[in-house]
Structures are given as C-alpha cells and as structure tokens.
Amino acid sequence: MENLTHYFAMGGYAAFVWPAYAVALIVLGGMALQSLRAYWRNLRQLETLQQERPGRRRGAR
Amino acid sequence: MNRFANPTRFMRISAAVLPAIGWLTALLLVVGLVLALFVAPPDYQQGESVRIMFIHVPAAWMALFVYANLALASAAGLIWRHPLAEIAAQEAAPLGAAFTLVCLVTGSLWGQPMWGTWWVWDARLTSVLVMFFLYLGYIALVHAFDDPTRGARAGAILAMVGVVNLPIIKFSVDWWNTLHQPASVFRLGGPTIVLSMLLPLLVMAIAFTILFFWLWLVRIRSAIVARKLRSLRLAGADDFAQLDASGGKPAGSYPS
Amino acid sequence: MTRKRRRLTAVLAGLATLGLATFLVLTAFSDNLVFFYSPSDLKTKHVPFERQLRIGGLVEEHSVKREADGKTIDFRVTDGSNTVAVTFTGGLPDLFREGQGVVAEGVLRRDGSFLASNVLAKHDEKYMPPEVADALKRSGHWQETSASGNAEARK
C-alpha cells in the first residue's frame, strides 16, 4: 500500500505526470473513438441502404 | 502509385490488414506504457517528471510526421488529381491536430515544474503552435467551400505552404537561442539518452506511428463509404424525380 | 501526361520559391528572433539598459548566495568567456542549480548587473538515471554542458 502511494506520488510530480498521461488518453482515445464510431455508422447505413434496394447495388453510378 | 490509388483495391487491401494493425497498436501501447511508467528509471536532474517525455516526444514526432504525410498526399492530389489522395490528406489532418495538441499540452505540463513556466514564446514552442494552427486552418479551409473539389485544392495549397514550417521546427533549437533544449535522439554524434530511457521512448514512438496509420486507414475507409452513401442517395433521389415526373411509382420500395 | 507534368513542375517551383523566401526572411530576422542574450552578447551587441529582456547561460559554480532576507538571491550567469551578476527575488524552478542552464527575464542595469523578475531553468539534452550520472562523474567521463545551451555552442 505504501509502495503504491509512493509510486502514484511520482516523486512529487504527480500533478504534472498524471494529467499529461490523462490528456494523451482523452485526446488520442477520443480521436480513435470518434473515428471508429463514424466508420461503423457509415458501414451500417450503407448496408441498410443496399438491403432496401437490392437491385440498385450496381446502378449507383 | 496507381496500383494503390484504385479505391476498390484500396478498400479490399485495407479491410484485410485493418484488424491486425488495430491489435498491433493495442499491444505496442501496452508494452510502451509499462516500459514508460514502470521500467524506465527517473532522470538524474528531472526525477520522475521525465516520464512526461514518453508521451510528449513521440507526440511531437507524430505532429511532424503526420504533417509530412498530409503534405505528400496533398501534392499527389494536386498533381494527379486523384480522389483517394485528396481523401487521405483530409483524413490525416484531424489526427495530426490531435497529436500536436497532445504535444503542446504535455509540454506545458512538463515545462511548469522543470523550466518554471507553462509557456514561453521561444522559436521551438512558437513554431509548433503555428503548426497546430496550420492543421486547424487546413481543416477549416477544406470545409469552407461548397464544392468539395475546390476545398480540397485550396487545402492542398495551404498544406504545402506549411511544409516550410517542418525544418523550422526541427532546427529551431539549433538556429536560435531557445528555452527548449536541443535534440536528444536524432542528432549528430548519437542519442544523449541512456538505453533504459531510449527504449521506452522508441516503443512509444512506434506505437503512436502504428496508431496513426490504423486510424488513418479507418478514417479513409469511412470517408470512401460516406461518398458511396452520398452517391447512392443521390441516385435514389434522381429515380424519384424521374418517376414523379412520369407520374409512376418507384420500382424499389423506399421508406417515405 | 503533359498536364500532370506541368502541375508537378508548378508544385515543385512553388515549393522552391517558398523555401527560398522563407530562408531569406529568417536570415533577415535572425537577430530579432533571439530569445535570450548571452553574457558575451551584453558586452558586444549594444543591448539597451533598463529595458525588459532575457539573458541566458550557465549558473556559475559557487556563485549562488542568499541575502539576509532569505528571499533574494544573487548569482552569476556565465557563457565561459563573460559573466553577469544577477539579482532575483522569488521562487526558483526545480531545475535551478549551479552549473545548470538558466534564462532570466528582467532589466540590465547601468552598472552592468541584471535585475531579474523571473528565472527559468533550461535543461540540457542529456537524460540518464542518477546512478549513471554518478558513475560518469566518478570515472571522469563527465562532459559539462556547453556554455549557454544550443545556439551559442556552435560559435
């Protein structure tokens, strides 16, 4: 337990080290989440559209 | 060049490699974080605060690397007028902006305890801030036009003008007196970091690079699917318009 | 093919022109992009008195002295060939120590000393654990930091 407290204190720099890692997680993780969700949403919509109009798959262009 | 520029082939190849790249990213990030947070020793001057380096420095490298990719894709889009290059450029920009933001914020969090200030207007910090605004300006410019082709072209020109900033950022610490210290890894005479700190740094850098390529592929695929969706819907609307004009009913069953 | 070739030439020519223009601008402005003056600059460059500016260099060994009030400290900043005396009242960054790089903001007084309103630490490009640093110092392989960090080292 004491080891853990000592570790998280980061030699007195906890207030700088942990926010730095948190910012990286939030910004990069947020970017990943946003990219993946938009991608999955587009894939789903394409599937729905193609199911609704089975004959139109080739006729789109 | 043209072999990969075919969107259909791109979709097929990228679909095959995407899951592997995603898992590789996760694995490298876990290994890198364990090395950075548990294995790497504290610095003789900076103590434990040096652990910010393992985020800050790879993010800074990525900010430059993504910009180089953005500029290359922009150049390819301008010269060969290939839609895939235009999409690639546009989808790289938000990723580059994210890495630059991480670089700036973590640098600030490192500067306060070590230098005694959150921010100074020295050549290195200022040129990186300029790059952040170049990314934002590019994104805004691309979306400022009603005609996407013109937006892509205007953005590409801005992206290529911004290339001059890359050597300025890299060499700012050598050309001018800056508060920021000179390079530690990519320098003549070899790195000035001990191996036990260099290794976590390089693993994190590779992890960030693969993360970028993974998300770049995801976003390019997403944009291609979105374009397909748009053209499908437009084609559907055309059918409606034609059938309405002739007074008939549409052949397919559309939800109203 | 020729249209593509022409666009390629246009892009390359544009980049070359832009690069040249930037190079010229940066060369012209290089003196105004100075973030701090070295102690030698103060002697040679007609640096104005009583105006806000920054000086940088290494904190001279054994020069740091605390005044009786406990808050004001005096130290000397050196670049190897010249030194300047600095007076500062306030909090110092964690990396401030003798032999380390420092950047002080403040005004140059007419007697040649520097009254700092803010002191920033400048760290070098070396990273190593304390054990390695100790071992290097013991074995005599320790290399001191160049005078004021980066740009000055090339002169």
Side-chain angles (χ1 to χ4, degrees):
Chain A
M1 195 59 217
E2 206 161 285
N3 275 344
L4 216 61
T5 320
H6 177 254
Y7 173 76
F8 281 113
M10 277 288 153
Y13 294 117
F16 302 101
V17 173
W18 297 119
Y21 278 80
V23 163
L25 181 77
I26 291 166
V27 174
L28 297 179
M31 184 53 78
L33 213 63
Q34 184 258 329
S35 306
L36 284 173
R37 284 175 68 177
Y39 174 52
W40 289 331
R41 193 178 54 233
N42 285 342
L43 279 185
R44 256 198 326 274
Q45 284 180 3
L46 184 67
E47 213 165 291
T48 331
L49 210 63
Q50 285 178 338
Q51 269 170 6
E52 278 165 6
R53 292 185 250 160
R56 293 220 50 87
R57 257 178 220 218
R58 301 254 166 262
R61 51 192 71 198
Chain B
M1 167 82 213
N2 272 324
R3 201 148 50 85
F4 298 102
N6 178 332
T8 320
R9 188 173 286 129
F10 171 83
M11 288 304 270
R12 203 176 62 231
I13 295 172
S14 61
V17 296
L18 206 57
I21 299 183
W23 287 113
L24 186 62
T25 305
L27 178 75
L28 281 167
L29 277 177
V30 169
V31 173
L33 283 173
V34 168
L35 287 175
L37 286 172
F38 299 102
V39 179
D43 182 63
Y44 77 115
Q45 292 283 8
Q46 308 190 29
E48 303 282 350
S49 78
V50 78
R51 296 192 195 282
I52 297 174
M53 173 175 71
F54 303 119
I55 299 287
H56 172 73
V57 172
W61 287 342
M62 290 315 294
L64 296 173
F65 179 70
V66 175
Y67 198 93
N69 277 289
L70 167 65
L72 276 179
S74 295
L78 268 187
I79 296 164
W80 288 286
R81 296 276 153 87
H82 200 286
L84 190 60
E86 285 174 7
I87 293 177
Q90 285 166 29
E91 297 307 321
L95 298 171
F99 281 116
T100 315
L101 182 63
V102 169
C103 169
L104 288 168
V105 175
T106 55
S108 187
L109 285 164
W110 198 8
Q112 173 58 26
M114 288 302 112
W115 296 344
T117 180
W118 300 101
W119 181 264
V120 289
W121 294 100
D122 81 350
R124 169 57 75 83
L125 278 65
T126 308
S127 55
V128 174
L129 186 67
V130 166
M131 189 167 65
F132 183 59
F133 288 126
L134 272 175
Y135 275 123
L136 296 188
Y138 173 88
I139 295 168
L141 186 60
V142 164
H143 293 104
F145 290 82
D146 289 332
D147 176 6
T149 324
R150 291 183 62 189
R153 224 160 276 172
I157 290 169
L158 175 68
M160 303 198 43
V161 169
V163 168
V164 294
N165 200 22
L166 293 184
I168 294 179
I169 292 176
K170 168 68 188 157
F171 296 110
S172 54
V173 288
D174 302 321
W175 291 343
W176 300 291
N177 287 335
T178 53
L179 187 60
H180 197 286
Q181 73 283 3
S184 299
V185 179
F186 297 116
R187 65 190 284 279
L188 295 171
T192 50
I193 305 187
V194 289
L195 192 65
S196 54
M197 293 183 187
L198 184 60
L199 191 71
L201 185 62
L202 293 181
V203 173
M204 285 302 287
I206 297 169
F208 274 22
T209 312
I210 307 291
L211 171 69
F212 161 65
F213 280 119
W214 178 51
L215 291 180
W216 201 17
L217 282 183
V218 167
R219 296 184 68 95
I220 295 173
R221 288 180 61 83
S222 184
I224 291 175
V225 172
R227 283 195 183 194
K228 205 181 276 176
L229 273 174
R230 241 188 333 267
S231 64
L232 273 177
R233 285 190 180 124
L234 274 178
D238 284 348
D239 290 351
F240 256 134
Q242 274 172 10
L243 292 163
D244 272 356
S246 63
K249 282 202 177 285
S253 60
Y254 298 86
S256 59
Chain C
M1 204 57 206
T2 48
R3 270 228 310 263
K4 276 175 206 161
R5 184 70 49 86
R6 206 166 59 223
R7 287 200 292 258
L8 180 66
T9 322
V11 165
L12 290 179
L15 275 181
T17 315
L18 196 69
L20 185 68
T22 315
F23 173 75
L24 292 175
V25 167
L26 289 180
T27 313
F29 279 99
S30 66
D31 267 3
N32 297 328
L33 280 166
V34 167
F35 184 67
F36 59 78
Y37 296 100
S38 69
S40 296
D41 290 340
L42 296 184
K43 291 250 173 6
T44 57
K45 280 195 180 167
H46 302 290
V47 176
F49 294 113
E50 310 291 348
R51 288 259 293 278
Q52 276 290 321
L53 54 90
R54 299 189 194 88
I55 59 158
L58 295 180
V59 181
E60 200 173 68
E61 298 280 355
H62 316 299
S63 74
V64 180
K65 288 181 184 66
R66 230 165 242 285
E67 283 182 16
D69 65 358
K71 276 177 278 182
T72 306
I73 63 159
D74 298 293
F75 57 94
R76 299 177 67 80
V77 170
T78 177
D79 60 3
S81 36
N82 285 292
T83 65
V84 57
V86 179
T87 308
F88 173 63
T89 310
L92 290 167
D94 293 4
L95 270 188
F96 179 88
R97 55 198 74 168
E98 291 182 349
Q100 277 287 308
V102 72
V103 172
E105 294 176 320
V107 294
L108 187 64
R109 290 185 292 199
R110 297 199 181 270
D111 63 0
S113 69
F114 194 80
L115 180 66
S117 52
N118 196 14
V119 169
L120 307 176
K122 181 174 159 55
H123 71 81
D124 56 32
E125 68 276 27
K126 284 182 286 195
Y127 295 90
M128 62 188 83
E131 309 89 75
V132 176
D134 288 344
L136 279 175
K137 280 174 181 162
R138 266 201 311 275
S139 66
H141 285 101
W142 187 257
Q143 288 183 332
E144 273 311 323
T145 324
S146 59
S148 58
N150 33 21
E152 288 302 312
R154 297 178 305 126
K155 288 182 185 160

